[in-house]
Amino acid sequence: MNSLKIKILGLASAIMIMAVALTGWHNLQTQRAMLSRFADQSSRVLGETIRNSIITSMANGQNAEVANILEKIRKEPAIEAVRIFDEAGRILVSADPAENGELISSSDLHAYRTKTLSFTKTLENEREVHSTILTIYNSQSCYGCHDSQIGVLGVLNVQVSLGELVLLQKKGREATILSSVGMLVILILTISGFILFYVDAPIRKLMAAMDYLEQGDFERAHTRVGSSAEMSLLSTKFNLMVERLKGLMETAVRNERKIAINQEKLAHHDEIQNMNVTLEERLQEIEYLNISLEERIEEIEEANYKIADLAGDLEDRNTNLTNAVNRLSALYKMGLAINSTMEHDKLFELLLKKTIATLHTKVGYILLFDKERSSLSIGGSVGLPDNLDPDLLIPLQEGGVSHWVINNRQPLLIREIGASGAFNRESMLGFTRETVICAPLIVKDEVIGTITMANKLDLSPFTGEDLELLSTIAAQASVAIKNARLYEEQEHTYLSTVQALVSAVEASDPYTRGHSERVTRYSLALARQMELPAESCKRLEQAAILHDIGKIGIDLALLHKEEDLSSGDIDILHQHPLIGDRILEPIRFLQGVREIIVQHHERFDGKGYPQGIRGEDLLLESRILSVADTYDAMTSDRPYRKALTHRTARREIEKNSATQFDPRVVDAFLILSGEGGFTG
């Protein structure tokens, strides 16, 4: 019972019980007073109403109606009794006829004589009623029935039962008690929780820490309490005390050891004297060492300043090194990217996007130099106005950045073009230049163009490092452009050779001479009508030129045979797409073209040859080539028949839509080919 938390909890509970009890008592008294006042007001209003009704009836000469009024009022559950008595206390008229002629209770008569108009009393059956006394005075309207000398005709006594109000008061009292008890329980539980969490738990931690402290375990004696600022401060102070006590204990131990040593030294007085002399010498040495130590500290401070300076330099160098590594990484990735394509348009687009991303610029473009015309054309651009003519020719003239770079064969850095009067701020490409770097593109010691970056995203000027990076990119780009040109030359050589073979095969047969050129023209016209992309058009053009190269492997006699072909002859002829595929297999850049050649005799319904592929599984280019090849075959002379008219061939192709031919390709063919012929 001597626990602090129990004492605090008990005191708080007692205070709360007293406060809640006083509050509840006050509420009950207030409720009782309010109910009593309500009963008084209600009774008086009811009495006044009844008296007015009686006076009105008596004034109208309806004295007998008075008893009826009282009897009707008595039927109300809240009316205990209603009567009229004279000044002597005898009941003249009552709602209960049995009371007529009897004397009223002494309390009612006393209330009348003492002018107490309203009061509460308890009946014999322990029920409380509220009695109201109202005097009925004689008036001029009553002189017809009553002597004018009589001042009071009677006294109205209305008794209202307080049973309902008492019951309501009882319920209010019960609700008040229950709410008070509930509030008291909640307050006690809240304060108990508060004490347990904010007082008892921290104290227990401190007690546990004190136990460790008693055991000499200073490390575990530390405690940390964060339940409140005060407890946190107390735990901090306690930890400081533990540390100080630990230090004092260690000091005491050291002192005890020194005392023991000194006692041993006292046993040897001579030795102590010698040690004193030695101690003085050591003190002098310590003083000398202190002086030396101060000098060394000054030297260390100076060294620290130097180290700080070196650290700053090192940080700057690390930043520069990081930037250099990032640029080298960008160059490496750019080299991999631009070496992955051999097409000029893709190469220029990829080169510009990578360079803009690396240098963080708004505008970048490549201008190609035409030495014969002494003009520049746009090879590729990013960030230029959308309405710029891509076929624009720019004359090489003074004031142009590319003009200076081409003439001097050197890269150029213009930090602020406004500060340089030698160059125009407004570019002929339709934008305003603020800061510019430009580097030449050199292939085989010949300037073929320039690469230019303008206006950085953060509006800062270009630096010499940016120019070095652009020059390196330009060197890589020049090599890539050189490789692309070599690749195009090699590709052109291959195509020329193979096309020569095709022409040789066609030249041996007057019926097929010029067939590949016409099929190529028709195929490209259909491709443009169907809006195929440029890459697909290029593959289709190559496939159209080479689609019959497999006939090199077919016997010329069979190709020129005028008689009916046997089933064996037909099987051999059906092999020419596969033979063409094998002929072109060593040429890597014709991989996509070979598949078109293999499929150009397939049918849309899957009944073609050599593989029986159908519908959308066929390449769109092969479906276009099939229509063009068929149209030219039908409109050309053959050993076994004469050429069909354009109208007949057109009708035949339309007839075989969705069976032999793709309906979309047929629709495009019908749009392009009028009644006059299909010229492509």
Side-chain angles (χ1 to χ4, degrees):
M1 295 298 292
N2 200 27
S3 173
L4 175 62
K5 66 179 179 182
I6 294 177
K7 290 180 179 180
I8 295 174
L9 183 60
L11 179 60
S13 300
I15 293 171
M16 286 188 293
I17 290 171
M18 291 177 65
V20 172
L22 287 173
T23 303
W25 178 81
H26 181 267
N27 288 338
L28 292 174
Q29 293 300 320
T30 303
Q31 290 177 7
R32 184 176 184 83
M34 290 175 63
L35 292 174
S36 178
R37 184 171 181 82
F38 175 75
D40 180 51
Q41 293 292 336
S42 300
S43 297
R44 292 184 67 179
V45 170
L46 180 60
E48 289 288 347
T49 304
I50 297 172
R51 184 176 68 173
N52 291 335
S53 299
I54 292 172
I55 291 171
T56 302
S57 298
M58 291 174 67
N60 294 329
Q62 299 175 352
N63 293 335
E65 187 66 22
V66 174
N68 293 332
I69 292 173
L70 298 183
E71 186 177 353
K72 289 179 181 179
I73 293 171
R74 177 64 180 80
K75 291 179 180 180
E76 293 296 325
I79 305 300
E80 184 67 26
V82 57
R83 60 177 75 93
I84 300 173
F85 62 90
D86 58 15
E87 290 183 306
R90 189 171 299 279
I91 299 173
L92 300 176
V93 181
S94 173
D96 185 2
E99 290 183 346
N100 293 336
E102 295 184 1
L103 295 175
I104 63 172
S105 65
S106 58
S107 59
D108 291 331
L109 183 59
H110 176 74
Y112 167 70
R113 290 176 177 176
T114 58
K115 304 298 181 182
T116 304
L117 301 180
S118 182
F119 65 96
T120 302
K121 68 176 183 177
T122 304
L123 302 178
E124 294 177 356
N125 54 6
E126 301 299 327
R127 288 190 299 170
E128 288 188 357
V129 295
H130 192 85
S131 182
T132 301
I133 305 295
L134 295 172
T135 304
I136 303 174
Y137 295 98
N138 192 6
S139 62
Q140 188 174 2
S141 60
C142 298
Y143 290 166
C145 299
H146 300 282
D147 188 357
S148 61
Q149 299 299 321
I150 299 174
V152 177
L153 297 179
V155 180
L156 176 64
N157 176 220
V158 181
Q159 293 182 357
V160 179
S161 175
L162 297 180
E164 293 296 329
L165 295 177
V166 170
L167 181 60
L168 181 62
Q169 181 183 2
K170 183 179 179 181
K171 290 182 178 180
R173 182 170 57 251
E174 290 176 354
T176 301
I177 293 172
L178 287 175
S179 63
S180 300
V181 171
M183 182 171 61
L184 182 61
V185 171
I186 291 172
L187 288 173
I188 291 174
L189 291 176
T190 302
I191 293 175
S192 300
F194 177 84
I195 292 172
L196 289 174
F197 181 76
Y198 289 100
V199 178
D200 185 61
I203 290 176
R204 286 182 181 276
K205 288 185 178 181
L206 290 173
M207 293 298 294
M210 288 180 182
D211 291 339
Y212 288 126
L213 186 62
E214 272 187 306
Q215 298 170 9
D217 190 350
F218 293 100
E219 296 299 328
R220 299 177 68 183
H222 286 79
T223 184
R224 183 177 181 181
V225 179
S227 60
S228 65
E230 292 79 4
M231 286 298 178
S232 177
L233 179 61
L234 180 61
S235 66
T236 303
K237 295 292 185 182
F238 179 79
N239 292 336
L240 292 175
M241 183 190 72
V242 171
E243 289 296 328
R244 186 171 294 177
L245 183 59
K246 179 181 177 182
L248 291 174
M249 290 291 293
E250 292 176 350
T251 303
V253 171
R254 287 196 299 269
N255 290 337
E256 287 180 0
R257 289 177 180 173
K258 289 181 181 179
I259 290 171
I261 293 172
N262 289 333
Q263 287 176 350
E264 291 179 0
K265 290 181 179 179
L266 288 174
H268 305 282
H269 183 69
D270 294 338
E271 293 180 4
I272 292 174
Q273 289 182 346
N274 294 331
M275 290 178 66
N276 286 335
V277 174
T278 305
L279 182 59
E280 291 178 358
E281 294 176 352
R282 295 293 180 269
L283 288 174
Q284 292 177 356
E285 292 178 0
I286 290 172
E287 290 179 358
Y288 174 75
L289 290 173
N290 284 337
I291 295 171
S292 301
L293 181 60
E294 290 177 356
E295 295 175 352
R296 296 295 179 272
I297 289 173
E298 292 178 356
E299 293 176 358
I300 290 171
E301 289 179 351
E302 293 178 0
N304 285 337
Y305 292 138
K306 293 180 179 179
I307 290 172
D309 294 338
L310 290 174
D313 294 339
L314 182 60
E315 185 175 356
D316 293 339
R317 292 181 181 181
N318 283 339
T319 302
N320 294 334
L321 181 59
T322 301
N323 292 335
V325 170
N326 291 336
R327 290 173 180 268
L328 287 174
S329 177
L331 286 172
Y332 173 72
K333 292 178 181 178
M334 186 176 298
L336 293 178
I338 63 179
N339 287 327
S340 64
T341 180
M342 291 297 174
E343 297 182 15
H344 279 94
D345 292 340
K346 285 188 177 180
L347 176 63
F348 291 155
E349 180 183 1
L350 187 61
L351 179 64
L352 288 171
K353 287 183 178 179
K354 292 288 185 180
T355 306
I356 283 178
T358 302
L359 293 174
H360 309 293
T361 64
K362 296 180 181 178
V363 179
Y365 51 89
I366 292 174
L367 298 180
L368 300 177
F369 177 48
D370 187 341
K371 191 172 182 180
E372 294 180 358
R373 297 183 181 180
S374 188
S375 62
L376 299 169
S377 60
I378 302 173
S381 66
V382 175
L384 292 180
D386 295 335
N387 58 356
L388 183 67
D389 183 7
D391 298 325
L392 176 67
L393 290 179
I394 304 170
L396 203 64
Q397 59 186 13
E398 294 289 339
V401 175
S402 294
H403 172 266
W404 190 95
V405 171
I406 291 173
N407 284 346
N408 293 276
R409 302 171 64 88
Q410 293 179 0
L412 175 62
L413 165 62
I414 306 174
R415 289 184 171 86
E416 294 183 12
I417 201 163
S420 174
F423 301 100
N424 300 324
R425 179 186 292 273
E426 297 298 327
S427 172
M428 295 184 68
L429 297 176
F431 74 100
T432 301
R433 299 180 288 197
E434 300 295 340
T435 178
V436 181
I437 52 176
C438 181
L441 299 174
I442 301 175
V443 175
K444 294 182 179 180
D445 201 33
E446 180 181 351
V447 178
I448 64 168
T450 61
I451 179 170
T452 305
M453 296 289 126
N455 303 342
K456 298 194 76 173
L457 291 174
D458 58 2
L459 305 181
S460 62
F462 287 109
T463 64
E465 293 178 354
D466 295 330
L467 184 62
E468 290 180 7
L469 181 60
L470 183 64
S471 299
T472 305
I473 292 172
Q476 283 188 327
S478 299
V479 174
I481 292 171
K482 178 182 177 181
N483 292 338
R485 287 185 172 181
L486 290 175
Y487 181 81
E488 287 181 354
E489 291 175 2
Q490 183 182 16
E491 181 178 336
H492 180 71
T493 301
Y494 272 119
L495 287 175
S496 298
T497 303
V498 176
Q499 190 172 0
L501 292 174
V502 173
S503 298
V505 171
E506 291 181 351
S508 65
D509 185 357
Y511 296 103
T512 59
R513 187 176 295 114
H515 171 67
S516 296
E517 286 80 0
R518 292 190 298 275
V519 171
T520 301
R521 189 167 67 253
Y522 300 152
S523 298
L524 291 178
L526 288 171
R528 285 190 291 270
Q529 177 66 28
M530 297 180 70
E531 298 180 351
L532 263 67
E535 290 186 5
S536 298
C537 289
K538 183 177 179 180
R539 286 196 302 269
L540 178 59
E541 180 182 11
Q542 294 172 343
I545 293 172
L546 305 175
H547 73 282
D548 279 340
I549 192 173
K551 290 182 178 179
I552 294 174
I554 305 297
D555 188 2
L556 288 177
L558 180 59
L559 293 175
H560 300 160
K561 186 175 181 180
E562 297 181 3
E563 297 83 8
D564 292 339
L565 298 177
S566 65
S567 59
D569 295 337
I570 293 174
D571 290 340
I572 293 173
L573 287 174
H574 283 182
Q575 294 300 312
H576 83 270
L578 295 176
I579 295 173
D581 179 52
R582 288 195 296 271
I583 292 173
L584 299 176
E585 186 176 4
I587 305 175
R588 287 190 301 171
F589 69 86
L590 294 178
Q591 297 299 317
V593 174
R594 289 166 46 207
E595 192 173 0
I596 300 173
I597 292 173
V598 170
Q599 295 180 5
H600 81 277
H601 277 297
E602 299 287 355
R603 289 170 56 99
F604 195 71
D605 57 7
K607 297 179 181 179
Y609 65 87
Q611 297 172 333
I613 305 173
R614 64 182 299 164
E616 296 296 328
D617 293 336
L618 292 167
L619 294 175
L620 179 57
E621 294 92 332
S622 68
R623 287 176 260 162
I624 293 173
L625 180 57
S626 175
V627 172
D629 185 35
T630 302
Y631 174 77
D632 187 71
M634 286 192 295
T635 56
S636 300
D637 290 333
R638 286 292 185 264
Y640 48 86
R641 65 159 173 79
K642 290 293 184 180
L644 302 178
T645 64
H646 165 71
R647 182 177 299 178
T648 303
R650 187 175 186 273
R651 190 165 52 249
E652 187 69 20
I653 290 176
E654 184 178 8
K655 176 183 176 182
N656 286 276
S657 177
T659 54
Q660 183 176 353
F661 306 114
D662 182 352
R664 289 190 298 158
V665 181
V666 173
D667 291 342
F669 171 80
L670 295 176
I671 292 172
L672 285 176
S673 62
E675 294 297 328
F678 179 45
T679 60

